[in-house]
Amino acid sequence: MTVIGIDKMSFFSPQQYIDMVELANARGEEPDKYLIGIGQTQQAVIPPTQDVVTMAANAADEMLTASDRKTITMILFATESGIDNSKSGAVYLQRLLGINPYARTIELKQACYAGTFALMQARDYVTLHPTEKVLVIASDIARYGLNTSGEVTQGGGAVAMLVSANPAIAQINQDSQYLSRDVMDFWRPVYADTARVDGKYSANIYQDFFKAIWMRYKQKTGLDITHFQAFAFHLPFTKMGLKALRDVLPEASEAQQANLMREFEASRVYNKRIGNLYTGSLYLSLYSLLANSATLKAGDHVGMFSYGSGAEGEFYSLTLRPHFKAGLINGQLEELLSNREQLTIAEYEEIFDSQLNGLTDRQLDTQQDTAKFVLSGLENEQRQY
Ligand code: HMG
């Protein structure tokens, strides 16, 4: 049978960041609370010249060849910080990237979970149409507000994934287990540009979902923890993934516990420095794992836990392909992170308040933004890219 899965991955996040020790000092918190208790060291800051569309375009552009652009027949754009209540971000992306005009373009929403749904749809579509390719995008800006307890868990960026037959990175296995329940742990009313959250409750629901779905996965598939060489989790903050991992570690031998912990550290290297990017967090963690693990090899199984508040969770597995590192852009994250500029907390606060909300026409100063795709302003209430 033809193998279907993730062929390529690419990531983008803007060029500015803040340091979590400085944020802790400014907020009167112990730095170790942010560094260890939350598990974040830096946080991406999103300038007014970037939004979910430009971040998605910047991520996807780096990985797509001219031939990919012709072969893509569907763009699935997962986001919960979209820029329009009607038009999908995927249509803008099709134009900006010069993708085949005879492609379907659609935006998907269910908090941080939608990227996983998009990936599953892409896999099923390519299974039926193996000569076609699907572009999956997970792009978001996580905003809680200045001086809120969620502030340390902000961030933003985009992950682009190309789903195809005979993929370079991983096969997406047909073993998903999922669960949905109407809960108010985190939400964002249509009039609000920051999330509403019941923080501790949300973390408890996340863990409850993981435990329930993991149990169901074992029952339905007959597999257990010995099947997995690594796990990747949705990482709203990296300590969250550690909490989930600890829930299953007692099921492993001592040697396997050490291995899973080592792979977990690889899976959070980048997320610690970017912060939450909602739909893209799990996939940045997968990217981090694949790029930073020195031990994973072809045929290994990675357990993937996706969680979106509101709430929906899904657990599934990937099987790594022979040359999985070749599907990543060599050194992409190291270059992106080393070229970033550190902002003071005062500078970040000013940028935070100046995010373009789409309320009034204006021109933006794009001089400082080095990205290929930028938002230059709003004319007649239309975004100019
Ligand atoms: P908080 O109340 O500021 O923090 O909120 P805390 O008092 O709970 O402390 C955090 C941890 O730091 C604790 O560890 C402390 O013990 C520890 P824990 O008990 O959790 O293991 N700590 C220290 N550790 C070392 N040295 C110290 C120290 N001091 C304290 N000196 C909270 C934290 C995460 C709740 C808050 O930031 C928040 O509300 N964040 C946003 C919500 C969130 O991220 N929820 C995650 C689950 S929901 C989800 O994943 C979905 C989401 O991505 C959205 C979507 O789906 O669209 C959010």
Side-chain angles (χ1 to χ4, degrees), residues 203 206-211 214 225 231-235 237-251 264 305:
Y206 175 119
Q207 259 181 294
D208 290 350
F209 266 56
F210 176 60
K211 284 188 274 193
W214 170 244
I225 197 157
F231 289 88
F233 296 92
H234 167 55
L235 295 179
F237 52 97
T238 75
K239 174 80 167 288
M240 189 72 245
L242 184 60
K243 288 181 186 212
L245 181 64
R246 282 178 181 154
D247 285 332
V248 295
L249 277 185
E251 299 171 23
F264 175 73
F305 180 61

Side-chain angles (χ1 to χ4, degrees), residues 144-177:
Y144 292 90
L146 304 176
N147 290 294
T148 61
S149 64
E151 185 179 25
V152 60
T153 66
Q154 295 178 151
V159 179
M161 293 177 274
L162 193 64
V163 175
S164 74
N166 303 313
I169 297 180
Q171 173 168 13
I172 305 171
N173 295 313
Q174 298 270 3
D175 57 356
S176 281
Q177 296 300 322

Side-chain angles (χ1 to χ4, degrees), residues 98-162:
I99 288 173
N100 167 29
Y102 298 100
R104 285 169 163 155
T105 55
I106 193 93
E107 188 168 304
L108 301 155
K109 178 177 67 185
Q110 175 29 62
C112 302
Y113 166 73
T116 297
F117 182 79
L119 202 57
M120 294 304 154
Q121 295 309 299
R123 177 202 57 198
D124 293 350
Y125 182 83
V126 176
T127 302
L128 282 176
H129 308 275
T131 58
E132 299 179 25
K133 294 179 181 179
V134 177
L135 176 61
V136 172
I137 296 288
S139 183
D140 267 306
I141 301 173
R143 281 170 67 87
Y144 292 90
L146 304 176
N147 290 294
T148 61
S149 64
E151 185 179 25
V152 60
T153 66
Q154 295 178 151
V159 179
M161 293 177 274
L162 193 64

Side-chain angles (χ1 to χ4, degrees), residues 29-38 80 110-113 140 144 148-153 185-186 197-206 234-237 239-240 243 246 276 278-279 281 307-310:
E29 297 279 6
E30 283 278 315
D32 278 354
K33 173 175 170 180
Y34 287 5
L35 299 176
I36 301 165
I38 298 286
E80 57 174 297
Q110 175 29 62
C112 302
Y113 166 73
D140 267 306
Y144 292 90
T148 61
S149 64
E151 185 179 25
V152 60
T153 66
D185 60 330
F186 167 108
V197 65
D198 188 341
K200 297 219 165 67
Y201 179 57
S202 73
N204 289 338
I205 298 277
Y206 175 119
H234 167 55
L235 295 179
F237 52 97
K239 174 80 167 288
M240 189 72 245
K243 288 181 186 212
R246 282 178 181 154
N276 197 356
Y278 293 157
T279 48
S281 289
Y307 176 78
S309 285

Side-chain angles (χ1 to χ4, degrees), residues 16-34:
Q16 295 163 325
Y17 75 97
I18 49 170
D19 182 83
M20 289 303 95
V21 173
E22 289 194 5
L23 185 67
N25 289 336
R27 301 297 179 246
E29 297 279 6
E30 283 278 315
D32 278 354
K33 173 175 170 180
Y34 287 5

Side-chain angles (χ1 to χ4, degrees), residues 46 57 61 86 122 145 152 237 256 277 321 330 342 344 350:
I46 318 302
D61 188 59
S86 170
V152 60
F237 52 97
Q256 198 196 359
L277 57 145
R321 301 279 285 163
N330 197 14
Q342 187 180 340
T344 64
E350 204 181 312

